[in-house]
PDB file of all heavy atoms in Angstrom:
ATOM      1  N   LYS A 392     -15.638  56.411 -48.893  1.00  0.00           N
ATOM      2  CA  LYS A 392     -14.268  56.254 -49.400  1.00  0.00           C
ATOM      3  C   LYS A 392     -13.636  54.926 -48.958  1.00  0.00           C
ATOM      4  O   LYS A 392     -12.531  54.617 -49.351  1.00  0.00           O
ATOM      5  CB  LYS A 392     -13.377  57.408 -48.901  1.00  0.00           C
ATOM      6  CG  LYS A 392     -13.747  58.761 -49.496  1.00  0.00           C
ATOM      7  CD  LYS A 392     -12.874  59.841 -48.915  1.00  0.00           C
ATOM      8  CE  LYS A 392     -13.257  61.188 -49.489  1.00  0.00           C
ATOM      9  NZ  LYS A 392     -12.483  62.280 -48.885  1.00  0.00           N
ATOM     10  N   GLY A 393     -14.341  54.181 -48.109  1.00  0.00           N
ATOM     11  CA  GLY A 393     -13.850  52.878 -47.710  1.00  0.00           C
ATOM     12  C   GLY A 393     -13.433  52.757 -46.258  1.00  0.00           C
ATOM     13  O   GLY A 393     -12.874  51.746 -45.843  1.00  0.00           O
ATOM     14  N   GLN A 394     -13.701  53.782 -45.439  1.00  0.00           N
ATOM     15  CA  GLN A 394     -13.345  53.704 -44.028  1.00  0.00           C
ATOM     16  C   GLN A 394     -14.509  53.047 -43.277  1.00  0.00           C
ATOM     17  O   GLN A 394     -15.297  53.644 -42.576  1.00  0.00           O
ATOM     18  CB  GLN A 394     -13.075  55.093 -43.454  1.00  0.00           C
ATOM     19  CG  GLN A 394     -12.424  55.022 -42.089  1.00  0.00           C
ATOM     20  CD  GLN A 394     -12.038  56.392 -41.566  1.00  0.00           C
ATOM     21  OE1 GLN A 394     -12.161  57.407 -42.221  1.00  0.00           O
ATOM     22  NE2 GLN A 394     -11.570  56.423 -40.327  1.00  0.00           N
ATOM     23  N   LYS A 395     -14.562  51.724 -43.498  1.00  0.00           N
ATOM     24  CA  LYS A 395     -15.555  50.871 -42.873  1.00  0.00           C
ATOM     25  C   LYS A 395     -14.988  49.476 -42.794  1.00  0.00           C
ATOM     26  O   LYS A 395     -14.068  49.119 -43.542  1.00  0.00           O
ATOM     27  CB  LYS A 395     -16.880  50.924 -43.627  1.00  0.00           C
ATOM     28  CG  LYS A 395     -16.820  50.462 -45.072  1.00  0.00           C
ATOM     29  CD  LYS A 395     -18.197  50.657 -45.707  1.00  0.00           C
ATOM     30  CE  LYS A 395     -18.265  50.051 -47.101  1.00  0.00           C
ATOM     31  NZ  LYS A 395     -19.618  50.128 -47.640  1.00  0.00           N
ATOM     32  N   MET A 396     -15.558  48.679 -41.880  1.00  0.00           N
ATOM     33  CA  MET A 396     -14.949  47.393 -41.617  1.00  0.00           C
ATOM     34  C   MET A 396     -15.968  46.411 -41.060  1.00  0.00           C
ATOM     35  O   MET A 396     -16.805  46.780 -40.239  1.00  0.00           O
ATOM     36  CB  MET A 396     -13.805  47.583 -40.618  1.00  0.00           C
ATOM     37  CG  MET A 396     -13.111  46.312 -40.176  1.00  0.00           C
ATOM     38  SD  MET A 396     -11.719  46.624 -39.063  1.00  0.00           S
ATOM     39  CE  MET A 396     -12.550  47.281 -37.623  1.00  0.00           C
ATOM     40  N   ILE A 397     -15.839  45.150 -41.474  1.00  0.00           N
ATOM     41  CA  ILE A 397     -16.624  44.046 -40.938  1.00  0.00           C
ATOM     42  C   ILE A 397     -15.674  43.157 -40.132  1.00  0.00           C
ATOM     43  O   ILE A 397     -14.632  42.733 -40.624  1.00  0.00           O
ATOM     44  CB  ILE A 397     -17.269  43.205 -42.067  1.00  0.00           C
ATOM     45  CG1 ILE A 397     -18.200  44.059 -42.904  1.00  0.00           C
ATOM     46  CG2 ILE A 397     -18.012  41.997 -41.482  1.00  0.00           C
ATOM     47  CD1 ILE A 397     -18.714  43.359 -44.164  1.00  0.00           C
ATOM     48  N   VAL A 398     -16.048  42.894 -38.870  1.00  0.00           N
ATOM     49  CA  VAL A 398     -15.252  42.038 -37.993  1.00  0.00           C
ATOM     50  C   VAL A 398     -16.086  40.810 -37.658  1.00  0.00           C
ATOM     51  O   VAL A 398     -17.180  40.925 -37.136  1.00  0.00           O
ATOM     52  CB  VAL A 398     -14.858  42.781 -36.704  1.00  0.00           C
ATOM     53  CG1 VAL A 398     -14.189  41.835 -35.721  1.00  0.00           C
ATOM     54  CG2 VAL A 398     -13.958  43.960 -37.027  1.00  0.00           C
ATOM     55  N   LYS A 399     -15.531  39.625 -37.967  1.00  0.00           N
ATOM     56  CA  LYS A 399     -16.209  38.383 -37.652  1.00  0.00           C
ATOM     57  C   LYS A 399     -15.512  37.743 -36.456  1.00  0.00           C
ATOM     58  O   LYS A 399     -14.318  37.464 -36.471  1.00  0.00           O
ATOM     59  CB  LYS A 399     -16.169  37.433 -38.850  1.00  0.00           C
ATOM     60  CG  LYS A 399     -16.990  37.991 -40.007  1.00  0.00           C
ATOM     61  CD  LYS A 399     -16.999  37.072 -41.208  1.00  0.00           C
ATOM     62  CE  LYS A 399     -17.843  37.734 -42.312  1.00  0.00           C
ATOM     63  NZ  LYS A 399     -17.835  36.925 -43.529  1.00  0.00           N
ATOM     64  N   VAL A 400     -16.295  37.527 -35.409  1.00  0.00           N
ATOM     65  CA  VAL A 400     -15.798  36.956 -34.162  1.00  0.00           C
ATOM     66  C   VAL A 400     -16.234  35.511 -34.089  1.00  0.00           C
ATOM     67  O   VAL A 400     -17.429  35.218 -34.183  1.00  0.00           O
ATOM     68  CB  VAL A 400     -16.351  37.762 -32.940  1.00  0.00           C
ATOM     69  CG1 VAL A 400     -15.830  37.137 -31.640  1.00  0.00           C
ATOM     70  CG2 VAL A 400     -15.957  39.235 -33.049  1.00  0.00           C
ATOM     71  N   ILE A 401     -15.270  34.627 -33.939  1.00  0.00           N
ATOM     72  CA  ILE A 401     -15.577  33.194 -33.881  1.00  0.00           C
ATOM     73  C   ILE A 401     -15.625  32.761 -32.416  1.00  0.00           C
ATOM     74  O   ILE A 401     -14.891  33.287 -31.576  1.00  0.00           O
ATOM     75  CB  ILE A 401     -14.555  32.353 -34.649  1.00  0.00           C
ATOM     76  CG1 ILE A 401     -13.121  32.602 -34.184  1.00  0.00           C
ATOM     77  CG2 ILE A 401     -14.666  32.615 -36.138  1.00  0.00           C
ATOM     78  CD1 ILE A 401     -12.097  31.729 -34.837  1.00  0.00           C
ATOM     79  N   ALA A 402     -16.477  31.835 -32.107  1.00  0.00           N
ATOM     80  CA  ALA A 402     -16.590  31.307 -30.751  1.00  0.00           C
ATOM     81  C   ALA A 402     -15.328  30.521 -30.446  1.00  0.00           C
ATOM     82  O   ALA A 402     -14.680  29.960 -31.346  1.00  0.00           O
ATOM     83  CB  ALA A 402     -17.826  30.406 -30.618  1.00  0.00           C
ATOM     84  N   HIS A 403     -14.953  30.408 -29.189  1.00  0.00           N
ATOM     85  CA  HIS A 403     -13.733  29.725 -28.751  1.00  0.00           C
ATOM     86  C   HIS A 403     -13.696  28.288 -29.318  1.00  0.00           C
ATOM     87  O   HIS A 403     -12.669  27.846 -29.801  1.00  0.00           O
ATOM     88  CB  HIS A 403     -13.610  29.677 -27.248  1.00  0.00           C
ATOM     89  CG  HIS A 403     -13.327  31.029 -26.664  1.00  0.00           C
ATOM     90  ND1 HIS A 403     -12.120  31.670 -26.837  1.00  0.00           N
ATOM     91  CD2 HIS A 403     -14.095  31.854 -25.931  1.00  0.00           C
ATOM     92  CE1 HIS A 403     -12.163  32.840 -26.236  1.00  0.00           C
ATOM     93  NE2 HIS A 403     -13.349  32.972 -25.676  1.00  0.00           N
TER      94      HIS A 403
END
Side-chain angles (χ1 to χ4, degrees):
K392 292 178 182 177
Q394 193 175 354
K395 60 184 188 173
M396 176 177 67
I397 300 171
V398 173
K399 294 181 180 176
V400 178
I401 56 175
H403 290 290

